Amino acid sequence: MRVLNFSAGPAALPLPVLEQVQAELSDWQGGGMSVMEISHRSKAFIRVAEEAEQELRALLAIPANYKVLFLQGGASGQFAAIPMNLAAADATVDYINTGNWSKKAIGEAKNHCVRVNVAADAGGAYTDVPPESAWQRSEGAAYLHYTPNETIGGVAFPFIPQTGGVPLVADFSSSILSEPLDVSRFGLIYAGAQKNIGPSGLVVVIVRDDLLDRARKTTPSIWNYKQMAAEGSMSNTPPTFGWYMAGLVFKWVRETGGLAAMAERNRRKAAMLYEAIDGSGFYRNPVAKPCRSIMNVPFTLAKPELDKAFLSEAQKAGLVNLEGHRSVGGMRASIYNAMPPEGVATLVSFMREFERKNG
Ligand code: PMP
């Protein structure tokens, strides 16, 4: 029996995709082998890879002057790859700190750049996005990095930063494909796959052509954007199974109505959950309303001593992985694309009933 899985990642995947994978697992396209067992250089796999890229390009309306790369090393690998590809060691780079993941990106950048300027810091509690007017950006920065959706704190940017000529770099790991996006506003977008794209092991990078010539000589080949773009992301063996599944997820998003429909569905889901939280005296979400994530909804109980009971009763009701991140405690419901609205409605009913019994 399938449960309602609120995991932050690796996260729930669309059931029709899993069923297709299951149906064709041992004999993919009549070849008598699984897709995992064929060469990444075979015509059949190259077609899988190209189709996945085309689907993603269509979904996000990615302009022709951007490359799409399917890499390894997760989003954390990109924390290092970005400075190595886009900034000289003595360049200044700007970062906005709105949560644990921005902080990690900043920490890694410090290993690769002498001057890492934190232009704005939501500091400590992470419940807000500092207004752009207050940012202390540096003159001539190589890029500005931010995290549009902080997976742990549930903090999302309600705007896309205006950086003029400075390339804007964004970690969309936990919000890619949740709504339409104007890719042309960015120099580089990256996202680990394990939330809205597919299984873990893959990170998607969308990078503007004019940024491909800046890599340091010491940049590892597998993370060198120019080299990977020239070699179709296959300088070495890519994670073929994840790539194939990503293609199926992209197709599922298109068949579900594309990003506009996904956004409407996601906003409806999030509204249901935040209304339930705000309308109760028992649950609480600390994030400033304009900055609330539609993908990750953390909440606490008025009686933290009931956390364990909440989690175990939820589990019995088929609602799993609601425990908050170890660094913040409480609960967190991650409601990515694959979580249907009925799943969120079931969670809301459970929460109301739990409050009625224990509140
Ligand atoms: N950035 C964000 C916003 C994330 O949510 C995560 C993982 N949850 C990461 C980066 C790190 O991703 P990975 O584990 O793929 O390195």
Side-chain angles (χ1 to χ4, degrees):
M1 191 199 75
R2 294 278 291 170
V3 292
L4 290 167
N5 177 9
F6 295 92
S7 170
L13 288 164
L15 185 57
V17 169
L18 294 175
E19 285 172 341
Q20 180 176 345
V21 170
Q22 182 178 39
E24 60 192 24
L25 189 65
S26 60
D27 183 7
W28 180 70
Q29 295 190 347
M33 293 173 282
S34 78
V35 71
M36 279 181 278
E37 299 167 293
I38 63 169
S39 166
H40 57 296
R41 311 250 177 235
S42 63
K43 275 205 182 105
F45 188 78
I46 299 281
R47 197 163 56 243
V48 168
E50 286 176 354
E51 279 176 11
E53 177 176 338
Q54 289 319 317
E55 287 281 1
L56 183 63
R57 281 189 178 275
L59 283 176
L60 282 168
I62 300 174
N65 63 324
Y66 285 76
K67 297 286 187 283
V68 178
L69 310 175
F70 291 82
L71 306 180
Q72 300 182 60
S76 303
Q78 291 306 306
F79 293 166
I82 286 160
M84 290 191 289
N85 274 277
L86 303 186
D90 61 351
T92 303
V93 293
D94 281 354
Y95 279 75
I96 309 300
N97 181 16
T98 50
N100 296 49
W101 292 110
S102 334
K103 201 168 143 199
K104 285 213 165 173
I106 291 165
E108 189 69 51
K110 286 182 176 164
N111 293 331
H112 301 279
C113 296
V114 183
R115 282 194 285 271
V116 178
N117 169 48
V118 180
D121 196 332
Y126 296 133
T127 54
D128 212 344
V129 172
E132 222 176 343
S133 56
W135 296 6
Q136 306 279 321
R137 292 176 44 203
S138 36
E139 198 67 41
Y143 60 80
L144 181 137
H145 178 284
Y146 81 115
T147 312
N149 187 80
E150 280 284 356
T151 321
I152 294 174
V155 174
F157 273 65
F159 59 87
I160 297 176
Q162 301 272 2
T163 53
V166 174
L168 183 59
V169 174
D171 175 1
F172 271 98
S173 292
S174 47
S175 55
I176 190 133
L177 304 181
S178 63
E179 56 189 351
L181 184 67
D182 181 359
V183 173
S184 73
R185 300 277 301 274
F186 297 86
L188 186 147
I189 286 169
Y190 65 107
Q194 62 270 23
K195 293 116 176 13
N196 267 340
I197 294 179
S200 58
L202 191 69
V203 54
V204 173
V205 175
I206 302 168
V207 55
R208 210 173 58 214
D209 286 343
D210 62 285
L211 299 175
L212 294 176
D213 281 322
R214 302 185 179 191
R216 300 180 195 172
K217 281 209 169 60
T218 50
T219 306
S221 308
I222 58 154
W223 282 339
N224 182 305
Y225 300 146
K226 188 173 187 178
Q227 189 171 341
M228 273 306 211
E231 298 184 43
S233 303
M234 293 195 197
S235 298
N236 69 330
T237 315
T240 51
F241 188 70
W243 201 334
Y244 147 81
M245 278 196 76
L248 297 183
V249 171
F250 299 153
K251 187 162 138 270
W252 172 80
V253 174
R254 169 166 58 78
E255 287 168 353
T256 310
L259 295 188
M262 209 45 94
E264 189 276 326
R265 198 172 108 118
N266 285 331
R267 288 199 194 105
R268 196 152 39 90
K269 278 152 52 184
M272 229 190 294
L273 192 45
Y274 285 116
E275 273 165 30
I277 292 169
D278 293 341
S280 87
F282 189 71
Y283 301 106
R284 186 172 174 274
N285 169 284
V287 180
K289 282 193 179 156
C291 306
R292 284 175 163 183
S293 168
I294 60 168
M295 294 281 97
N296 310 98
V297 182
F299 60 92
T300 51
L301 274 53
K303 300 176 186 167
E305 64 275 19
L306 292 178
D307 282 3
K308 278 213 174 85
F310 181 94
L311 288 167
S312 75
E313 285 182 33
Q315 175 106 25
K316 277 187 216 129
L319 304 158
V320 309
N321 291 324
L322 283 162
E323 191 165 7
H325 190 269
R326 59 188 185 281
S327 66
V328 293
M331 307 298 153
R332 172 178 49 169
S334 294
I335 49 175
Y336 300 119
N337 287 349
M339 175 59 64
E342 308 77 60
V344 178
T346 304
L347 171 62
V348 165
S349 308
F350 170 82
M351 287 167 66
R352 293 212 166 107
E353 180 58 15
F354 188 87
E355 179 180 359
R356 196 188 59 76
K357 285 193 302 203
N358 302 287

